[in-house]
């Protein structure tokens, strides 16, 4: 990052991933076919990068930022070579890549210690990796293009020394733009049209603090054809923290108080119901 002026800065970040599969040829056998393999020279280098510009000052009541970047996700080994009953892997998968654009700003109200933030974002995805089912088999494929655009707004306030509140709302439109007619125009899997987040934190005497969190998202689809629906869900969590020393923190949390059954993007199975957690963090 480089400060052009006291209130204006530009910067960037990047990463390069080098991959070499040590296969040395040979026969690859799956549940439904066999295939001759060579080294995967088409997947040896992947890169990502982001550039941004930011306008604000140390004590400014307002500011803004603009960024543009390229992201990627390399195929997992299980997607490329894994063999499981009912699963057909795909050695010809390309990197899943995306172009991301964001512009946002904030405004601060000093008297009430309140900050208002808003961000507009767009993401264009290419070669998204998606598991396609046919009969009793599943196979990962690169499915065309898709597009996401949306707006996120947030309010963070600390009206009292002992109380902090955060309210966040995200509105987005997702659309499959692949050439496959079964998918074109459909919503992307596991992407809700709207989601909301609320958090209230109370700083209590004797080094205790209490936090209440609520989340809500609209319905989502599990498949690219939008046939399998997951209903809207609202989740509520609470936690009680204790800081006996400056570098020691003990937290008891109770997640999913209403014992809802739901699924997330990261798991194909329903998540656990109500969860009890006890966490000790010790710094040195």
């Amino acid at each position: 990052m480089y400060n052009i002026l006291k209130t204006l800065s530009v910067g960037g970040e990047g990463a390069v991933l080098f991959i070499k599969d040590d296969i040395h040829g040979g026969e690859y056998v799956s549940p439904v076919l066999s295939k001759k393999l060579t080294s995967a020279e088409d997947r040896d280098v992947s890169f990502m990068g982001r550039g941004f510009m930011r306008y604000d000052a140390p004590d400014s009541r307002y500011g803004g930022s603009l960024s543009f970047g390229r992201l990627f996700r390399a195929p997992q080994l299980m997607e490329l070579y894994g063999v499981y009953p009912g699963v057909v892997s795909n050695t010809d998968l390309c990197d899943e890549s995306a172009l991301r654009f964001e512009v946002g700003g904030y405004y601060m109200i000093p008297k009430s210690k309140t900050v208002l933030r808003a961000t507009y974002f767009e993401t264009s995805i290419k070669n998204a990796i998606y598991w396609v089912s046919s009969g009793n088999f599943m196979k990962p494929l690169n499915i065309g293009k898709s597009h996401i655009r949306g707006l996120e707004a947030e309010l963070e306030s600390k009206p009292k020394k002992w109380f902090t509140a955060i309210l966040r709302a995200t509105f987005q439109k997702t659309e499959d733009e692949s050439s496959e007619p079964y998918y074109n125009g459909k919503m992307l899997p596991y992407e809700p049209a709207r989601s909301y987040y609320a958090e209230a934190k109370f700083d209590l005497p004797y080094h205790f603090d209490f936090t209440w969190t609520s989340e809500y998202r609209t319905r989502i689809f599990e498949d690219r054809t939008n046939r399998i629906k997951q209903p809207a869900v609202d989740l509520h969590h609470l936690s009680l923290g204790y800081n006996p020393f400056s570098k020691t923190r003990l937290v008891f949390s109770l997640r999913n108080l209403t014992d809802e059954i739901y699924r997330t993007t990261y798991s194909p199975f329903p998540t656990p119901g109500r969860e009890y957690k006890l966490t000790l963090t010790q710094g040195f």
Side-chain angles (χ1 to χ4, degrees):
M1 185 174 68
Y2 177 72
N3 295 323
I4 301 176
L5 302 172
K6 184 178 180 180
T7 58
L8 182 65
S9 58
V10 295
E13 57 186 4
V16 178
L17 176 66
F18 295 89
I19 300 176
K20 188 66 177 178
D21 294 337
D22 192 16
I23 300 174
H24 302 300
E27 185 113 4
Y28 169 75
V29 181
S30 77
V32 295
L33 55 84
S34 63
K35 183 178 180 179
K36 286 286 185 179
L37 294 180
T38 58
S39 59
E41 297 178 356
D42 294 336
R43 300 188 309 103
D44 54 356
V45 178
S46 301
F47 73 94
M48 64 187 297
R50 182 176 76 99
F52 64 87
M53 179 174 64
R54 182 178 179 87
Y55 175 82
D56 65 0
D59 298 318
S60 176
R61 294 178 59 182
Y62 57 88
S65 62
L66 173 72
S67 69
F68 180 82
R70 180 189 188 274
L71 314 174
F72 80 92
R73 183 179 79 84
Q76 299 175 358
L77 290 177
M78 188 270 290
E79 295 169 331
L80 292 167
Y81 311 116
V83 179
Y84 295 93
V87 173
V88 182
S89 52
N90 184 356
T91 59
D92 299 320
L93 285 175
C94 300
D95 283 353
E96 179 177 323
S97 62
L99 296 177
R100 174 88 171 186
F101 168 78
E102 284 187 6
V103 58
Y106 71 85
Y107 179 74
M108 184 177 295
I109 306 174
K111 291 184 178 181
S112 60
K113 296 183 180 180
T114 298
V115 181
L116 302 173
R117 302 184 182 94
T119 302
Y120 174 80
F121 58 88
E122 283 200 36
T123 303
S124 295
I125 305 168
K126 182 181 179 182
N127 292 328
I129 299 174
Y130 180 67
W131 287 87
V132 177
S133 299
S134 178
N136 295 324
F137 294 96
M138 297 177 61
K139 182 177 181 179
L141 297 174
N142 291 116
I143 304 294
K145 300 179 179 179
S146 56
H147 193 262
I148 300 173
R149 62 170 60 91
L151 176 68
E152 182 174 278
E154 181 181 277
L155 180 149
E156 182 177 354
S157 182
K158 192 177 178 68
K160 300 292 184 180
K161 185 178 181 180
W162 47 269
F163 175 70
T164 304
I166 298 175
L167 299 175
R168 185 184 306 123
T170 304
F171 306 87
Q172 64 177 9
K173 179 181 180 182
T174 66
E175 184 176 3
D176 191 301
E177 297 179 345
S178 62
S179 58
E180 175 57 57
Y182 291 105
Y183 306 137
N184 188 277
K186 300 292 196 304
M187 291 179 59
L188 299 183
Y190 296 104
E191 291 287 350
R194 301 187 313 278
S195 59
Y196 306 96
Y197 175 88
E199 177 184 303
K201 182 180 179 181
F202 302 86
D203 294 316
L204 305 176
Y206 304 107
H207 309 289
F208 283 94
D209 60 79
F210 174 79
T211 303
W212 177 279
T213 304
S214 293
E215 304 173 70
Y216 173 83
R217 63 148 175 82
T218 56
R219 69 173 183 178
I220 57 175
F221 296 98
E222 291 187 27
D223 65 320
R224 204 118 184 163
T225 58
N226 291 179
R227 293 181 178 178
I228 306 175
K229 302 177 183 178
Q230 280 289 324
V233 63
D234 58 288
L235 305 174
H236 308 279
H237 324 289
L238 62 84
S239 65
L240 180 65
Y242 177 55
N243 298 275
F245 309 106
S246 60
K247 295 184 178 181
T248 303
R249 180 168 174 81
L250 184 66
V251 179
F252 171 74
S253 58
L254 192 58
R255 298 186 56 81
N256 194 2
L257 296 176
T258 54
D259 199 17
E260 293 286 340
I261 298 177
Y262 66 101
R263 297 189 183 185
T264 70
T265 308
Y266 308 104
S267 173
F269 304 103
T271 62
R274 189 178 297 110
E275 296 179 83
Y276 304 85
K277 295 184 178 182
L278 184 63
T279 305
L280 173 65
T281 304
Q282 178 63 56
F284 297 96

